[in-house]
Amino acid sequence: MHNGISRWLPVLSALSVLLSACSDDSTEQNALLTPHLPFVEFAVRETTITPTGGYTFKEFVPMNGTIDLVGRSGNYSASAVMAFYASYFPDRDTVNVLSATLYLHGASFFGDSTGQVAFDVYRLNRTWNQATITWDSVDASFYDASVSRGSYTGRIGLDTEQVAVQLDTAMARLWLATETATVYGYRYGFILVPNAASTVIRGFQSFENDSASYVPSLRLICQNVAGTVTDTAIYSLGVDTFVGNVDPLDVKPDRYYIQAGVVYRSVINFDVSFLRQGYVVNSGILTMQRDPATSRLNRFALDTAIAVHIMGGPTSASSFAATSAQARLLPGSSVVYTADVHTAVQSWIRGSNYGLLLRTDGTREYQALDLVTIFNHAAAAALKPQLKLIYSVPKN
């Protein structure tokens, strides 16, 4: 008798858990993913809906990635901000600087590959933080535009080519002085600003690169006052980032815009008020179509995934969920994206529905200028995004 009871205990335990789960509303975590089992307590339904609205907005976001962009291409422009750690420069008040050379390693480019990148170097006037600086904070007071401290003009070469930028030796001389930063401001670094001759944007490896061979470096050739001793020193530790902008972005009313580097994000809204408490969302497949004519991608865009987040509030300034679903191109298609957003829909049943946030996925948002445009709720019916829902409804 005892052995018979033991044999049935696992079955009774499983039934107890199932009945307990059915007594509560589904959450994003316990939503039934597939309706394979014949749950007699539920009826499975299917419907497809289109967005009720949405919008695109611009947001100033710090870049601070593994690639620094500098140059100009069409309406796009980018400036790189850089400083070598002052603590690594020795105090050499009596030395003369014969040459100061900044070395940068290529990583990418955006625009016409036959164009040229051209920029000037200016000394910065104030402190900055690579984790917080954005385009709107780089105003006329940020750097001294009255004196160029170096310049560069060149064509796009190999992806990993090294370029050399000759810097003002007087500026470099201050980096070796013992005077405080309040006197000369030499600890603030410099900015690379594109000039009118630039027709392409170049991506350079930043200090965040995991290879010491590719990070920015500074070579100083110095000589003592007597002119009898010359030495060369290399410095490769510092901080950097870039700030980018597009003015204007040609926004069409029937597109959602997802722009990296110059951050544009979009919100897409669906009305799921027909889903009631106790409904279980088994599947929620979001389908969207990219517009190749207005998207801006190049061969460095190896991954064009779109991150899909749950919006936490009603405006663009609202926070969004840290985790996201990934919208990826449908196998065999170059324009159709799909993502499983059933957890978002389940959360809307239990609480507020502020829509989905669409943004460039991963680190690409902070090191590239990729633009993906998606047909939105105002597009022709065949191009609108769709949300296909499979959900289970309690029979009682």
Side-chain angles (χ1 to χ4, degrees):
M1 184 69 175
H2 176 74
N3 291 338
I5 294 175
S6 299
R7 188 167 58 250
W8 285 98
L9 282 177
V11 178
L12 294 172
S13 176
L15 287 173
S16 174
V17 171
L18 179 59
L19 291 173
S20 174
C22 290
S23 65
D24 298 324
D25 288 328
S26 273
T27 67
E28 301 90 285
Q29 287 71 36
N30 67 18
L32 304 176
L33 297 181
T34 54
H36 294 314
L37 297 178
F39 292 106
V40 295
E41 297 89 354
F42 288 88
V44 178
R45 296 178 181 174
E46 178 181 319
T47 188
T48 299
I49 59 177
T50 57
T52 56
Y55 56 92
T56 291
F57 63 96
K58 184 178 184 179
E59 184 169 1
F60 291 110
V61 176
M63 294 296 103
N64 194 27
T66 60
I67 294 178
D68 294 327
L69 302 182
V70 58
R72 189 186 310 276
S73 175
N75 295 333
Y76 289 82
S77 62
S79 298
V81 188
M82 186 174 299
F84 289 88
Y85 287 131
S87 58
Y88 285 90
F89 290 117
D91 293 334
R92 305 181 68 183
D93 290 315
T94 60
V95 77
N96 293 319
V97 178
L98 301 183
S99 73
T101 308
L102 171 67
Y103 292 100
L104 302 171
H105 287 267
S108 61
F109 66 86
F110 300 87
D112 184 2
S113 62
T114 64
Q116 66 179 10
V117 58
F119 57 81
D120 295 303
V121 182
Y122 300 102
R123 195 175 71 187
L124 301 182
N125 288 331
R126 62 172 188 260
T127 58
W128 56 281
N129 187 320
Q130 74 274 16
T132 59
I133 188 173
T134 56
W135 174 268
D136 57 329
S137 61
V138 180
D139 54 25
S141 65
F142 184 66
Y143 62 94
D144 179 11
S146 64
V147 180
S148 175
R149 305 290 179 166
S151 63
Y152 173 81
T153 300
R155 300 286 177 178
I156 301 298
L158 298 175
D159 291 347
T160 58
E161 69 174 336
Q162 183 187 73
V163 303
V165 184
Q166 298 303 318
L167 301 180
D168 177 24
T169 56
M171 178 177 68
R173 172 68 183 80
L174 294 177
W175 296 339
L176 302 175
T178 57
E179 284 85 353
T180 64
T182 56
V183 176
Y184 291 114
Y186 64 85
R187 298 180 188 271
Y188 301 151
F190 49 89
I191 185 171
L192 314 180
V193 181
N195 56 43
S198 183
T199 59
V200 66
I201 294 177
R202 192 69 161 111
F204 293 109
Q205 302 284 357
S206 78
F207 287 113
E208 307 301 321
N209 191 283
D210 57 6
S211 173
S213 301
Y214 289 104
V215 299
S217 61
L218 173 70
R219 186 189 69 182
L220 296 182
I221 300 178
C222 301
Q223 190 176 72
N224 64 351
V225 175
T228 57
V229 178
T230 300
D231 61 84
T232 301
I234 304 293
Y235 304 92
S236 57
L237 294 173
V239 291
D240 57 0
T241 187
F242 80 92
V243 292
N245 193 36
V246 54
D247 185 23
L249 179 66
D250 183 17
V251 178
K252 299 182 183 299
D254 61 347
R255 311 285 197 281
Y256 294 131
Y257 288 78
I258 305 163
Q259 171 74 64
V262 183
V263 175
Y264 278 83
R265 296 167 175 171
S266 294
V267 173
I268 180 171
N269 298 113
F270 290 95
D271 181 4
V272 296
S273 59
F274 60 91
L275 299 176
R276 306 299 184 187
Q277 290 281 341
Y279 286 16
V280 179
V281 181
N282 311 122
S283 176
I285 302 301
L286 173 65
T287 302
M288 304 178 293
Q289 292 195 48
R290 180 174 69 90
D291 176 20
T294 54
S295 295
R296 180 188 173 101
L297 300 171
N298 60 33
R299 64 185 179 87
F300 297 99
L302 301 179
D303 186 353
T304 59
I306 298 170
V308 185
H309 298 261
I310 301 173
M311 279 294 288
T315 68
S316 61
S318 304
S319 60
F320 54 87
T323 58
S324 66
Q326 282 191 327
R328 293 189 174 278
L329 287 171
L330 195 66
S333 174
S334 62
V335 296
V336 178
Y337 284 86
T338 63
D340 185 352
V341 296
H342 78 276
T343 56
V345 181
Q346 193 72 62
S347 75
W348 296 338
I349 296 176
R350 297 175 58 83
S352 299
N353 175 6
Y354 299 113
L356 298 169
L357 176 77
L358 309 178
R359 57 182 285 264
T360 306
D361 185 56
T363 59
R364 287 173 32 248
E365 189 170 44
Y366 312 113
Q367 63 188 37
L369 288 175
D370 298 339
L371 169 64
V372 175
T373 61
I374 299 293
F375 289 104
N376 67 16
H377 57 280
L383 300 174
K384 291 178 186 288
Q386 294 183 343
L387 179 57
K388 181 180 179 180
L389 298 171
I390 299 175
Y391 56 101
S392 299
V393 179
K395 288 184 178 180
N396 296 330

